[in-house]
Amino acid sequence: MSGGDAKKLVRSPSGLRMVPEHRAARSPFGLDEPPWVPDKECPRCMQCDTKFDFITRKHHCRRCGKCFCDKCCSKKVPLPRMCFVDPVRQCAECALVSQKETEFYDRQLKVLMNGATFFVTLGTSDKSELMVCRLSNNQRYLVLDGDSHYEIEIMQISTVQILTEGFTPGGGNTRAIGMILQYKVPGSEEVTQMKFIAGEDISSNKKLSAAWLAAMHKVSK
Protein backbone atom coordinates (compact mmCIF):
# COMPACT_ATOMS: atom_id res chain seq x y z
CA MET A 1 0.00 0.00 0.00
CA SER A 2 1.44 3.38 -0.95
CA GLY A 3 1.17 6.72 0.79
CA GLY A 4 -1.94 7.44 -1.27
CA ASP A 5 -3.86 8.10 1.95
CA ALA A 6 -7.09 6.38 0.83
CA LYS A 7 -8.63 4.30 3.61
CA LYS A 8 -11.97 2.79 4.50
CA LEU A 9 -13.17 3.20 8.08
CA VAL A 10 -14.92 0.43 10.02
CA ARG A 11 -16.08 0.08 13.62
CA SER A 12 -13.56 -1.26 16.13
CA PRO A 13 -14.30 -4.55 18.00
CA SER A 14 -15.93 -2.63 20.87
CA GLY A 15 -18.01 -0.54 18.47
CA LEU A 16 -16.84 2.61 20.24
CA ARG A 17 -14.64 4.05 17.51
CA MET A 18 -13.91 4.08 13.79
CA VAL A 19 -10.58 2.72 12.53
CA PRO A 20 -9.06 2.00 9.08
CA GLU A 21 -10.25 -1.37 7.79
CA HIS A 22 -6.72 -2.53 6.98
CA ARG A 23 -4.03 -2.40 9.65
CA ALA A 24 -1.50 -1.37 6.99
CA ALA A 25 -3.40 1.91 6.58
CA ARG A 26 -3.37 2.79 10.28
CA SER A 27 -1.17 5.50 11.71
CA PRO A 28 2.13 4.29 13.25
CA PHE A 29 1.31 6.59 16.19
CA GLY A 30 -1.96 4.79 16.89
CA LEU A 31 -2.74 2.43 19.76
CA ASP A 32 -4.65 -0.84 19.52
CA GLU A 33 -7.86 -1.06 21.49
CA PRO A 34 -7.11 -2.76 24.85
CA PRO A 35 -9.06 -5.83 25.97
CA TRP A 36 -11.50 -4.78 28.69
CA VAL A 37 -11.32 -6.56 32.04
CA PRO A 38 -14.58 -8.58 32.15
CA ASP A 39 -17.15 -7.23 34.65
CA LYS A 40 -17.35 -10.56 36.46
CA GLU A 41 -13.60 -10.50 37.12
CA CYS A 42 -13.72 -7.05 38.65
CA PRO A 43 -15.77 -6.84 41.89
CA ARG A 44 -13.69 -3.90 43.19
CA CYS A 45 -12.11 -0.74 41.84
CA MET A 46 -8.62 -1.57 40.55
CA GLN A 47 -7.31 1.70 41.98
CA CYS A 48 -8.89 2.34 45.41
CA ASP A 49 -10.35 -1.14 46.06
CA THR A 50 -13.87 0.21 46.62
CA LYS A 51 -16.48 -2.54 46.23
CA PHE A 52 -18.88 -2.09 43.34
CA ASP A 53 -22.60 -2.17 44.10
CA PHE A 54 -25.85 -0.62 42.88
CA ILE A 55 -24.67 2.86 43.90
CA THR A 56 -20.95 2.56 43.15
CA ARG A 57 -20.87 1.69 39.47
CA LYS A 58 -17.87 0.43 37.54
CA HIS A 59 -16.33 2.15 34.54
CA HIS A 60 -13.70 0.98 32.05
CA CYS A 61 -10.77 3.20 31.15
CA ARG A 62 -10.79 3.52 27.36
CA ARG A 63 -7.01 3.46 27.21
CA CYS A 64 -6.03 0.56 29.49
CA GLY A 65 -9.33 -1.35 29.74
CA LYS A 66 -9.20 -1.74 33.53
CA CYS A 67 -12.20 -1.29 35.89
CA PHE A 68 -12.52 1.72 38.17
CA CYS A 69 -15.11 3.52 40.26
CA ASP A 70 -16.37 6.90 39.09
CA LYS A 71 -13.99 8.77 41.39
CA CYS A 72 -10.92 7.00 39.99
CA CYS A 73 -12.05 7.19 36.37
CA SER A 74 -13.85 10.51 36.11
CA LYS A 75 -11.60 12.38 33.69
CA LYS A 76 -12.65 12.68 30.05
CA VAL A 77 -9.58 13.38 27.95
CA PRO A 78 -8.94 13.41 24.17
CA LEU A 79 -7.44 10.16 22.91
CA PRO A 80 -6.55 10.68 19.22
CA ARG A 81 -4.09 7.76 19.30
CA MET A 82 -7.11 5.45 19.43
CA CYS A 83 -9.19 7.39 16.87
CA PHE A 84 -11.73 8.70 19.36
CA VAL A 85 -13.32 11.88 18.04
CA ASP A 86 -14.55 13.17 21.43
CA PRO A 87 -12.84 13.10 24.87
CA VAL A 88 -13.32 9.74 26.58
CA ARG A 89 -13.28 8.42 30.15
CA GLN A 90 -9.81 7.47 31.38
CA CYS A 91 -8.22 6.57 34.70
CA ALA A 92 -5.93 9.17 36.30
CA GLU A 93 -2.72 7.47 35.15
CA CYS A 94 -3.83 7.10 31.53
CA ALA A 95 -5.35 10.59 31.46
CA LEU A 96 -1.98 12.09 32.42
CA VAL A 97 -0.24 10.27 29.56
CA SER A 98 -2.95 11.27 27.08
CA GLN A 99 -2.76 14.92 28.15
CA LYS A 100 0.99 14.92 27.48
CA GLU A 101 0.33 13.54 24.00
CA THR A 102 -2.21 16.26 23.19
CA GLU A 103 0.48 18.81 22.24
CA PHE A 104 2.01 16.36 19.77
CA TYR A 105 -1.34 15.77 18.04
CA ASP A 106 -2.49 19.39 18.20
CA ARG A 107 0.79 20.97 17.12
CA GLN A 108 3.72 18.81 15.97
CA LEU A 109 1.70 16.43 13.83
CA LYS A 110 0.06 19.32 11.97
CA VAL A 111 3.46 20.95 11.37
CA LEU A 112 4.80 17.72 9.88
CA MET A 113 1.79 17.30 7.60
CA ASN A 114 2.04 20.91 6.36
CA GLY A 115 5.63 20.26 5.32
CA ALA A 116 8.79 22.33 4.90
CA THR A 117 11.55 22.80 2.31
CA PHE A 118 15.06 21.32 2.58
CA PHE A 119 18.11 20.52 0.51
CA VAL A 120 18.14 16.72 0.55
CA THR A 121 21.21 14.55 -0.06
CA LEU A 122 20.83 10.80 -0.58
CA GLY A 123 23.50 8.44 0.71
CA THR A 124 27.08 9.45 0.00
CA SER A 125 26.18 11.64 -2.98
CA ASP A 126 27.74 15.10 -3.10
CA LYS A 127 24.68 16.53 -4.86
CA SER A 128 21.62 17.85 -3.06
CA GLU A 129 18.10 18.51 -4.31
CA LEU A 130 15.61 21.10 -3.08
CA MET A 131 12.54 19.18 -1.90
CA VAL A 132 9.32 19.74 0.00
CA CYS A 133 9.09 17.23 2.85
CA ARG A 134 5.83 16.38 4.60
CA LEU A 135 4.10 13.64 6.52
CA SER A 136 1.39 11.89 4.49
CA ASN A 137 -2.26 12.28 5.53
CA ASN A 138 -2.35 8.72 6.84
CA GLN A 139 0.77 9.53 8.89
CA ARG A 140 2.57 6.46 7.58
CA TYR A 141 5.00 8.00 5.11
CA LEU A 142 7.49 10.81 4.88
CA VAL A 143 6.85 12.19 1.39
CA LEU A 144 9.59 14.12 -0.44
CA ASP A 145 8.82 16.00 -3.65
CA GLY A 146 11.20 17.85 -5.97
CA ASP A 147 12.55 16.78 -9.33
CA SER A 148 12.63 13.36 -7.67
CA HIS A 149 9.99 11.71 -5.47
CA TYR A 150 10.51 9.56 -2.38
CA GLU A 151 8.18 7.93 0.13
CA ILE A 152 9.80 6.69 3.31
CA GLU A 153 7.70 4.56 5.64
CA ILE A 154 7.90 6.00 9.17
CA MET A 155 8.14 2.52 10.71
CA GLN A 156 11.27 1.83 8.63
CA ILE A 157 13.16 4.84 10.04
CA SER A 158 15.78 3.58 12.50
CA THR A 159 17.65 6.78 13.38
CA VAL A 160 16.81 10.49 13.49
CA GLN A 161 19.75 12.80 14.20
CA ILE A 162 18.94 16.51 14.44
CA LEU A 163 21.72 18.84 13.24
CA THR A 164 22.15 22.13 15.09
CA GLU A 165 24.37 25.20 14.98
CA GLY A 166 25.09 28.23 17.16
CA PHE A 167 25.96 27.62 20.79
CA THR A 168 27.33 29.54 23.73
CA PRO A 169 30.03 28.38 26.20
CA GLY A 170 27.28 27.83 28.77
CA GLY A 171 25.16 25.85 26.32
CA GLY A 172 21.80 26.69 24.76
CA ASN A 173 20.92 29.12 21.96
CA THR A 174 21.21 26.38 19.39
CA ARG A 175 18.88 26.11 16.41
CA ALA A 176 18.00 23.13 14.27
CA ILE A 177 19.37 23.42 10.73
CA GLY A 178 18.87 19.90 9.44
CA MET A 179 18.74 16.19 10.21
CA ILE A 180 20.12 12.85 9.15
CA LEU A 181 17.72 9.95 8.67
CA GLN A 182 18.64 6.30 8.43
CA TYR A 183 15.98 3.90 7.21
CA LYS A 184 15.53 0.45 5.73
CA VAL A 185 14.37 -0.03 2.17
CA PRO A 186 11.28 -2.34 2.08
CA GLY A 187 12.21 -5.89 1.19
CA SER A 188 15.85 -5.33 2.06
CA GLU A 189 18.03 -5.18 5.16
CA GLU A 190 20.05 -2.40 3.55
CA VAL A 191 20.15 0.85 5.54
CA THR A 192 19.93 4.07 3.52
CA GLN A 193 20.93 7.51 4.77
CA MET A 194 19.33 10.81 3.83
CA LYS A 195 20.53 14.25 4.92
CA PHE A 196 18.24 17.30 5.19
CA ILE A 197 19.58 20.87 5.40
CA ALA A 198 17.34 23.94 5.72
CA GLY A 199 17.70 26.20 2.70
CA GLU A 200 19.48 29.53 3.02
CA ASP A 201 17.73 31.19 0.09
CA ILE A 202 15.00 33.83 0.48
CA SER A 203 12.21 31.48 -0.59
CA SER A 204 12.95 29.08 2.24
CA ASN A 205 11.30 29.80 5.58
CA LYS A 206 13.92 29.01 8.23
CA LYS A 207 11.45 29.32 11.08
CA LEU A 208 9.09 26.83 9.43
CA SER A 209 11.96 24.44 8.74
CA ALA A 210 13.13 24.65 12.37
CA ALA A 211 9.59 23.93 13.62
CA TRP A 212 9.35 20.96 11.24
CA LEU A 213 12.67 19.57 12.49
CA ALA A 214 11.57 19.99 16.12
CA ALA A 215 8.39 18.07 15.35
CA MET A 216 10.37 15.32 13.62
CA HIS A 217 12.52 15.07 16.73
CA LYS A 218 9.34 14.44 18.75
CA VAL A 219 8.35 11.69 16.32
CA SER A 220 11.68 9.93 16.88
CA LYS A 221 10.87 9.72 20.59
Side-chain angles (χ1 to χ4, degrees):
M1 186 174 295
S2 71
D5 303 340
K7 55 187 178 182
K8 178 182 177 182
L9 297 179
V10 296
R11 287 199 176 276
S12 66
S14 70
L16 294 174
R17 62 196 182 110
M18 300 300 291
V19 298
E21 181 178 24
H22 301 290
R23 182 173 293 275
R26 298 179 187 178
S27 167
F29 309 118
L31 291 175
D32 287 333
E33 190 172 281
W36 282 18
V37 175
D39 287 349
K40 62 181 180 180
E41 295 180 11
C42 189
R44 295 178 178 272
C45 173
M46 300 179 75
Q47 177 64 41
C48 69
D49 204 38
T50 297
K51 185 177 181 180
F52 294 124
D53 54 29
F54 182 75
I55 297 176
T56 305
R57 309 300 294 274
K58 66 183 64 175
H59 302 278
H60 285 86
C61 171
R62 297 328 191 230
R63 184 170 182 132
C64 68
K66 295 179 180 178
C67 283
F68 302 92
C69 65
D70 183 70
K71 182 180 178 181
C72 294
C73 195
S74 61
K75 294 182 179 294
K76 289 193 174 182
V77 180
L79 187 49
R81 291 192 69 186
M82 290 180 63
C83 300
F84 284 108
V85 176
D86 300 314
V88 290
R89 189 184 292 271
Q90 298 179 58
C91 66
E93 183 177 351
C94 287
L96 184 61
V97 175
S98 295
Q99 286 170 342
K100 290 181 179 179
E101 294 172 346
T102 298
E103 182 186 358
F104 173 73
Y105 272 84
D106 285 351
R107 298 179 59 185
Q108 279 88 7
L109 205 56
K110 291 179 181 178
V111 169
L112 289 174
M113 294 172 74
N114 286 337
T117 304
F118 298 91
F119 285 104
V120 179
T121 305
L122 182 63
T124 58
S125 173
D126 57 358
K127 295 182 179 180
S128 61
E129 180 179 340
L130 190 63
M131 307 188 82
V132 175
C133 308
R134 67 175 181 86
L135 188 67
S136 63
N137 290 342
N138 64 9
Q139 304 167 8
R140 292 190 58 83
Y141 296 86
L142 191 60
V143 180
L144 291 77
D145 279 309
D147 291 336
S148 305
H149 176 80
Y150 298 98
E151 293 187 8
I152 303 171
E153 190 170 3
I154 294 295
M155 295 300 290
Q156 296 299 324
I157 296 176
S158 55
T159 304
V160 177
Q161 178 186 351
I162 301 299
L163 306 175
T164 60
E165 71 172 9
F167 61 91
T168 63
N173 293 329
T174 60
R175 67 184 182 93
I177 61 168
M179 70 176 176
I180 295 176
L181 286 186
Q182 290 186 329
Y183 62 95
K184 288 185 179 181
V185 178
S188 170
E189 291 300 314
E190 178 185 354
V191 176
T192 300
Q193 178 172 293
M194 191 172 279
K195 185 176 182 180
F196 298 67
I197 296 295
E200 296 294 329
D201 61 306
I202 297 177
S203 64
S204 179
N205 189 324
K206 291 183 181 179
K207 186 175 181 180
L208 179 62
S209 298
W212 196 92
L213 290 169
M216 195 65 193
H217 185 54
K218 286 276 189 179
V219 168
S220 68
K221 293 182 177 182

